[in-house]
């Protein structure tokens, strides 16, 4: 482009920035944002000055006129503004998005095995509202906010470009923006191919275990990459043991126990589709003789196993989020307490319990208290082996509390001594 042309583009961007609407916060609001958070809630806003459409980038100022950053606005959502940058005068364009993607990928290359990983984790990668998972040579995209949805094609192309520079060719992209959260943003749920169709069953390998990931019909984006390190952590105490894996989904913890040399493993899930996929994964790893799966409600099965006098060397509890809002936390606590109580009772003296919560609203202290109460109800002692959280490709951005959600404990369960 000629010098004149370049100058014209810069002038247009400068004009766009000058015309951005301004969000003014109420007096005393914006504390979370100033501490490093990424969200502005509707009840924090005093006024919006200037023209805008939902999804546009706006500037955010505190009550005293101090610049806090820019982000996209959506008045249909309680989270009215999601911050993209704190730098004054920055231009949100294709180059900005590519820079964010490049930073995210460089971080992963330094911290995790990138054969299959989360490439972009929303707010933690300073791209609020979007998730991109890589399963071998396939990308799965989940877009949860209006503003970032507009940039989705740009972000997808940027991911493909950046990965190609490392010799990684992406053969297909699938969108799993079918969460109910989109309805709260005034958006329709969306699911389907971005670009040319492809076989949506993808084989991946993790911790020595092979899986078929169904990116079209599996939960969320098809597979829970956040538990990778936690699955590896159970290997050391599963060899030669009898293992019960509750809420097994497609069999990931159960298969890790099998690969680690468990004598027998029972994986349980209420979803018949998940159980069928788990059995397929067991056959893929030649573990079908030692790892079996049952379709059942865990809350109903655990008391039945107790009545039968069953005991296990290792019990794993990996339930779905029992709460997705603060209003239902009390009900969730009852669920977590119940499954931990039942699970603990099924562990032999000296055996192990792995217990986790993937709910952001089940705060670490409350989760620990709930397990402690369950152990007291079962008249057993807890000896903590390890506390872990989500894998490094799901980084926790301090002050952005929503990025910290997974809590994972390993305990040895002891009778009274």
């Amino acid at each position: 482009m000629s010098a004149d042309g370049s100058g014209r583009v810069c002038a247009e961007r400068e004009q766009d920035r000058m015309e951005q609407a301004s969000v003014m916060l109420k007096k005393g609001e914006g504390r979370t944002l100033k501490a490093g958070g990424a969200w502005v809630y509707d009840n924090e806003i005093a006024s919006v000055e200037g023209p805008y459409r939902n999804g546009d980038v706006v500037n955010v100022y505190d009550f005293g006129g101090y610049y806090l950053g820019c982000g996209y606005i959506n008045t249909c959502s309680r989270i009215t503004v999601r911050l993209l940058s704190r730098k004054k005068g920055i231009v949100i364009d294709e180059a900005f998005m590519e820079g964010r993607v490049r930073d995210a990928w460089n971080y992963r290359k330094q911290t995790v095995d990138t054969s299959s990983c989360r490439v972009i984790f929303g707010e933690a990668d300073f791209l609020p509202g979007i998730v991109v998972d890589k399963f071998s040579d396939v990308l799965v995209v989940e877009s949860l906010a209006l503003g970032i949805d507009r940039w989705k094609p740009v972000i997808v192309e940027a991911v493909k470009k950046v990965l190609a520079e490392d010799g990684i060719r992406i053969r297909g992209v699938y969108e799993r923006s079918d969460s109910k959260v989109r309805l709260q943003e005034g958006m329709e749920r969306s699911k389907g191919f971005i670009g040319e169709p492809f076989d949506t069953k993808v084989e991946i390998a993790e911790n020595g275990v092979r899986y078929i990931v169904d990116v079209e019909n599996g939960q969320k984006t098809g597979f829970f990459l956040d538990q990778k390190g936690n699955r590896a952590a159970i290997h050391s105490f599963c060899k030669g043991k009898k293992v019960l894996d509750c809420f097994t989904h497609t069999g990931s913890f159960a298969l890790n126990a099998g690969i680690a040399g468990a004598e027998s493993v029972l994986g349980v899930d209420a979803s018949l589709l998940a159980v069928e996929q788990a059995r397929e994964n067991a056959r893929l790893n030649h573990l079908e003789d030692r790892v079996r799966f049952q379709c059942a409600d865990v809350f109903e099965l655990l008391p039945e196993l107790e009545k039968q006098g069953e005991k296990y060397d290792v019990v794993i509890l990996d339930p779905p989020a029992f709460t997705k809002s603060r209003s239902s936390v009390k009900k969730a606590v009852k669920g977590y307490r119940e499954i931990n109580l039942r699970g603990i009772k099924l562990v032999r003296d000296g055996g192990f319990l792995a217990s986790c919560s993937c709910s952001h609203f089940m705060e670490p202290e409350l989760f620990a208290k709930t397990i402690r109460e369950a152990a007291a109800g079962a008249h057993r002692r807890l000896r903590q082996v390890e506390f872990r959280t989500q894998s490094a490709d799901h980084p926790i951005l301090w002050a952005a509390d929503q990025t910290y959600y997974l809590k994972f404990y390993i305990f040895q369960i002891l009778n009274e001594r």
Side-chain angles (χ1 to χ4, degrees):
M1 182 180 287
S2 67
D4 288 344
S6 298
R8 188 164 53 250
V9 170
C10 290
E12 288 172 357
R13 287 174 177 168
E14 178 67 21
Q15 183 66 23
D16 287 345
R17 188 167 71 249
M18 291 174 65
E19 291 177 355
Q20 283 176 187
S22 296
V23 171
M24 316 301 293
L25 301 188
K26 296 176 182 176
K27 188 175 183 178
E29 298 293 352
R31 290 184 295 272
T32 301
L33 205 61
K34 291 176 181 178
W39 293 351
V40 178
Y41 288 94
D42 54 0
N43 60 1
E44 295 183 285
I45 296 172
S47 64
V48 182
E49 300 176 3
Y52 70 91
R53 292 178 302 163
N54 281 333
D56 285 352
V57 174
V58 298
N59 294 311
V60 181
Y61 297 87
D62 71 4
F63 181 78
Y66 180 80
Y67 180 79
L68 297 176
C70 66
Y72 52 80
I73 188 170
N74 184 1
T75 55
C76 295
S77 173
R78 255 201 84 221
I79 306 167
T80 305
V81 180
R82 298 173 192 252
L83 222 62
L84 286 165
S85 177
R86 296 173 182 273
K87 292 185 177 180
K88 195 168 187 177
I90 200 163
V91 177
I92 307 301
D93 58 7
E94 290 85 351
F96 172 89
M97 294 297 172
E98 182 179 320
R100 285 283 195 256
V101 169
R102 195 173 295 280
D103 288 346
W105 181 242
N106 285 337
Y107 163 78
R108 269 98 187 147
K109 289 194 294 182
Q110 296 177 78
T111 56
V112 298
D113 168 20
T114 58
S115 59
S116 291
C117 68
R118 177 152 291 182
V119 179
I120 296 174
F121 183 41
E123 282 75 358
D125 288 305
F126 310 103
L127 286 171
I130 193 166
V131 163
V132 180
D133 284 344
K134 173 183 174 290
F135 298 110
S136 187
D137 58 355
V138 165
L139 298 179
V140 182
V141 180
E142 183 180 30
S143 171
L144 299 174
L146 178 61
I148 209 70
D149 206 60
R150 291 186 179 181
W151 288 100
K152 180 175 59 187
V154 172
I155 292 169
V156 168
E157 288 306 311
V159 172
K160 291 162 72 174
K161 175 185 175 180
V162 170
L163 267 57
E165 292 172 4
D166 284 333
I168 301 169
R169 187 187 71 83
I170 296 301
R171 68 177 173 91
V173 183
Y174 198 83
E175 180 168 14
R176 286 297 304 271
S177 302
D178 48 352
S179 169
K180 290 181 180 179
V181 172
R182 282 176 65 98
L183 303 178
Q184 298 171 14
E185 290 274 315
M187 305 162 67
E188 293 182 356
R189 297 159 82 175
S190 179
K191 177 181 176 180
F193 295 100
I194 298 178
E196 293 298 315
F198 58 92
D199 184 356
T200 54
K201 289 194 173 181
V202 186
E203 183 174 330
I204 69 169
E206 177 196 274
N207 300 334
V209 182
R210 296 161 66 196
Y211 303 92
I212 299 296
V213 176
D214 186 346
V215 301
E216 181 179 8
N217 298 310
Q219 287 188 33
K220 298 283 188 175
T221 61
F223 187 76
F224 297 111
L225 292 163
D226 53 3
Q227 292 274 29
K228 179 178 181 178
N230 301 334
R231 289 188 279 261
I234 72 166
H235 285 213
S236 61
F237 51 84
C238 283
K239 187 174 183 180
K241 301 299 176 60
K242 182 180 178 181
V243 179
L244 175 65
D245 175 23
C246 301
F247 310 96
T248 192
H249 189 225
T250 55
S252 57
F253 274 105
L255 294 168
N256 273 266
I259 286 288
E263 180 182 273
S264 68
V265 184
L266 172 61
V268 182
D269 200 278
S271 166
L272 181 58
L273 174 62
V275 167
E276 289 173 347
Q277 290 176 329
R279 288 168 179 160
E280 182 181 2
N281 288 330
R283 290 190 291 271
L284 186 65
N285 290 276
H286 309 292
L287 290 171
E288 60 269 36
D289 60 330
R290 290 185 288 120
V291 182
R292 64 185 184 89
F293 296 95
Q294 180 177 346
C295 184
D297 184 318
V298 170
F299 284 94
E300 295 176 0
L301 181 64
L302 294 188
E304 187 60 33
L305 291 173
E306 185 184 347
K307 285 180 185 177
Q308 295 170 8
E310 290 283 357
K311 288 289 182 182
Y312 295 87
D313 300 298
V314 180
V315 172
I316 301 160
L317 303 174
D318 181 21
F322 288 163
T323 175
K324 295 185 178 180
S325 67
R326 294 196 185 281
S327 61
S328 59
V329 167
K330 286 186 178 180
K331 183 177 179 181
V333 166
K334 292 180 181 179
Y336 284 115
R337 187 186 297 121
E338 174 69 12
I339 62 164
N340 278 278
L341 171 68
R342 298 296 179 183
I344 288 168
K345 286 184 175 183
L346 290 171
V347 180
R348 300 183 200 278
D349 182 29
F352 295 88
L353 172 78
S355 182
C356 72
S357 167
C358 62
S359 171
H360 158 66
F361 295 100
M362 190 71 179
E363 295 179 351
E365 297 79 9
L366 181 58
F367 185 51
K369 177 176 180 287
T370 302
I371 297 175
R372 188 184 305 118
E373 291 171 350
H379 306 291
R380 308 293 293 278
R381 304 294 299 276
L382 297 173
R383 180 149 64 185
Q384 183 176 321
V385 178
E386 197 170 359
F387 174 76
R388 303 177 61 89
T389 183
Q390 61 232 45
S391 58
D393 55 344
H394 296 62
I396 298 168
L397 184 65
W398 282 35
D401 293 342
Q402 65 276 10
T403 64
Y404 177 25
Y405 63 95
L406 184 60
K407 285 77 61 180
F408 184 90
Y409 277 104
I410 298 174
F411 296 104
Q412 187 179 39
I413 305 298
L414 304 168
N415 291 340
E416 293 292 346
R417 293 298 202 261

